[in-house]
Amino acid sequence: EAGVAQSPRYKIIEKRQSVAFWCNPISGHATLYWYQQILGQGPKLLIQFQNNGVVDDSQLPKDRFSAERLKGVDSTLKIQPAKLEDSAVYLCASSTREGLGSHNEQFFGPGTRLTVL
Amino acid sequence: AQTVTQSQPEMSVQEAETVTLSCTYDTSENNYYLFWYKQPPSRQMILVIRQEAYKQQNATENRFSVNFQKAAKSFSLKISDSQLGDTAMYFCAFEGGSEKLVFGKGTKLTVNP
C-alpha cells in the first residue's frame, strides 16, 4: 500500500513570495490533515479536511495561508505572501476516520521543508 | 486547552540497554487517546504505540511499552533492548474529544554503539 505522498521535499523562497505544497493521501482515506512543524517543536495542526469539506481550520493563519482539497483526494496548501517565521516542515497526514467519535491512526507523509530567506 | 509536556529535550542510551522517556499532559476530559510517535531524520512520523485512557492495562508493542498513570496525567515510554535504529525524535501526543492531535516538543534520543 502506497503511503502519503508530498511534494516538493524541499523549497527555498524569499519573503513575500508565494509557495504551494501538494499532498496525495493514502487511497480511500477520507480525512486529511496539514501540520506545521517549526524547528525544535512538535507538529501543530493547521487544517483538517473530511472528504472535501473543512472540519477544523482554527489554527490556520487565513490572511496568508489557504488550503483546498478538490474532489476529496489530493490537497494543496498555499502561503501567500511568505514570512520568515513560516520556515518549517509542513506535514500532511491522512486517516480512514469516518466521523466524530471514531478513531483511526493518522499516517504521515515525509513532509516539505520550507526555508524563507 | 490540552497541553503536552516533554521535560527531556535530549537523552542518550547505550545499545541493548533500557531507556524511559517522560511525558505529562493536562486535560479535563475523561476519554482520550495518548500516543508516542517516532520521527527519524527522514522526517516521517511513525506511530510507535497508542493508549486508550479508559484502558487500565498499559499498552505494549514488542520492545516498546508505556507506563500510563491517569490520575497523575503521566504517560512515559520505555524502550527495552535499545537498537541503533531507535535513534530519532520521539513525540508524545494527546487526542481528546476535539479529535485533534496535540504534540509535545519532543525528546531527541540517541542510541550509542
Side-chain angles (χ1 to χ4, degrees):
Chain A
E1 179 182 75
V4 176
Q6 289 188 248
S7 68
R9 291 297 308 276
Y10 303 89
K11 189 72 176 179
I12 301 174
I13 61 173
E14 295 188 349
K15 60 183 180 183
R16 291 188 291 274
Q17 286 188 322
S18 301
V19 65
F21 312 126
W22 174 81
C23 173
N24 179 238
I26 293 173
S27 178
H29 280 196
T31 308
L32 185 146
Y33 311 80
W34 282 103
Y35 290 86
Q36 180 192 57
Q37 185 178 17
I38 294 173
L39 185 65
Q41 298 183 19
K44 181 186 80 172
L45 180 69
L46 291 176
I47 188 167
Q48 176 183 347
F49 291 95
Q50 177 79 14
N51 296 309
N52 60 353
V54 175
V55 174
D56 185 344
D57 63 357
S58 58
Q59 298 193 87
L60 186 73
K62 298 180 185 64
D63 58 333
R64 297 182 301 106
F65 285 65
S66 64
E68 61 181 6
R69 190 181 184 197
L70 299 176
K71 299 180 181 179
V73 182
D74 293 6
S75 178
T76 56
L77 177 69
K78 297 179 181 177
I79 307 175
Q80 180 180 8
K83 293 185 175 182
L84 296 177
E85 59 261 36
D86 297 333
S87 293
V89 173
Y90 291 84
L91 295 166
C92 179
S94 69
S95 75
T96 59
R97 189 185 308 253
E98 295 299 330
L100 293 178
S102 63
H103 171 80
N104 289 290
E105 179 182 348
Q106 291 187 31
F107 294 84
F108 285 81
T112 296
R113 182 181 296 279
L114 173 66
T115 301
V116 182
L117 304 175
Chain B
Q2 289 84 9
T3 59
V4 177
T5 302
Q6 293 180 249
S7 58
Q8 306 151 314
E10 292 192 42
M11 294 193 71
S12 63
V13 64
Q14 292 299 122
E15 194 175 6
E17 294 189 345
T18 296
V19 64
T20 299
L21 309 183
S22 301
C23 173
T24 59
Y25 58 95
D26 187 25
T27 184
S28 58
E29 298 185 41
N30 193 46
N31 296 317
Y32 49 87
Y33 296 86
L34 294 163
F35 309 85
W36 280 98
Y37 281 88
K38 171 184 177 181
Q39 187 178 42
S42 67
R43 299 199 303 264
Q44 190 128 13
M45 298 285 280
I46 302 164
L47 180 63
V48 174
I49 198 164
R50 178 176 85 180
Q51 175 80 41
E52 291 92 337
Y54 64 86
K55 289 187 178 179
Q56 291 187 334
Q57 185 173 5
N58 290 323
T60 300
E61 289 287 343
N62 300 314
R63 297 183 295 107
F64 299 88
S65 61
V66 299
N67 183 3
F68 173 49
Q69 302 289 329
K70 190 172 183 179
K73 296 180 182 174
S74 171
F75 183 60
S76 61
L77 174 70
K78 185 172 82 171
I79 306 175
S80 303
D81 186 25
S82 297
Q83 300 176 0
L84 297 178
D86 295 334
T87 293
M89 287 291 295
Y90 285 82
F91 291 94
C92 179
F94 171 99
E95 180 182 299
S98 68
E99 301 188 338
K100 290 193 305 186
L101 275 175
V102 177
F103 288 86
K105 290 189 174 184
T107 296
K108 182 179 180 181
L109 176 67
T110 302
V111 180
N112 299 309

